[in-house]
Amino acid sequence: MAVRQIERAVILEPEDIEAMHRPFVNKGNSDPVVRAFREALRASTPGWLAALDTESKTVSRSRLDELLSAIGHRRDLVGALPDGEVKTEALDQLTSLDELITEMLAQLDGTTSGAGSL
């Protein structure tokens, strides 16, 4: 016995088709979503970090805390990327930095409480 298939469909108006296309149009660098994502990435970087170099050999606890916060924000943004090498590498770098900062904070806590030294 043959199986009959019944299809139900919506007849689209030109405005419907335009509404379906609009959110998916890629405008490249001028796309507001791309610009907003780029600005969010920039905003996740502490302003003082660019001036940190081999001459600046100290960083305060508050700045380490700020970096941890920035890592979390950046991780959220990177999480929106499709799975792949770029996303994996970026998340790995953030995880490594998180571990380093956490270790530094633990050392600071040990030093400031008198329980250890750097």
Side-chain angles (χ1 to χ4, degrees), residues 59-87:
V59 66
S60 67
R61 176 181 242 308
S62 64
R63 287 195 167 176
L64 291 174
D65 288 336
E66 186 180 352
L67 269 177
L68 282 180
S69 177
I71 289 167
H73 185 65
R74 180 76 85 146
R75 189 176 277 132
D76 290 344
L77 292 169
V78 170
L81 296 173
D83 290 340
E85 188 177 323
V86 170
K87 180 178 181 177

Side-chain angles (χ1 to χ4, degrees), residues 10-42:
V10 175
I11 298 173
L12 300 173
E13 297 292 329
E15 298 83 20
D16 301 328
I17 295 169
E18 182 183 335
M20 289 179 181
H21 283 281
R22 192 176 309 123
F24 299 100
V25 172
N26 183 346
K27 299 175 187 170
N29 288 333
S30 65
D31 191 306
V33 173
V34 171
R35 279 195 316 257
F37 194 80
R38 190 176 291 137
E39 289 170 13
L41 283 171
R42 276 191 212 111

Side-chain angles (χ1 to χ4, degrees), residues 71-111:
I71 289 167
H73 185 65
R74 180 76 85 146
R75 189 176 277 132
D76 290 344
L77 292 169
V78 170
L81 296 173
D83 290 340
E85 188 177 323
V86 170
K87 180 178 181 177
T88 299
E89 184 176 336
L91 290 174
D92 287 348
Q93 289 175 0
L94 290 169
T95 298
S96 293
L97 181 56
D98 187 286
E99 291 169 358
L100 177 67
I101 300 302
T102 301
E103 179 183 321
M104 289 178 184
L105 288 169
Q107 290 173 344
L108 270 175
D109 290 343
T111 300

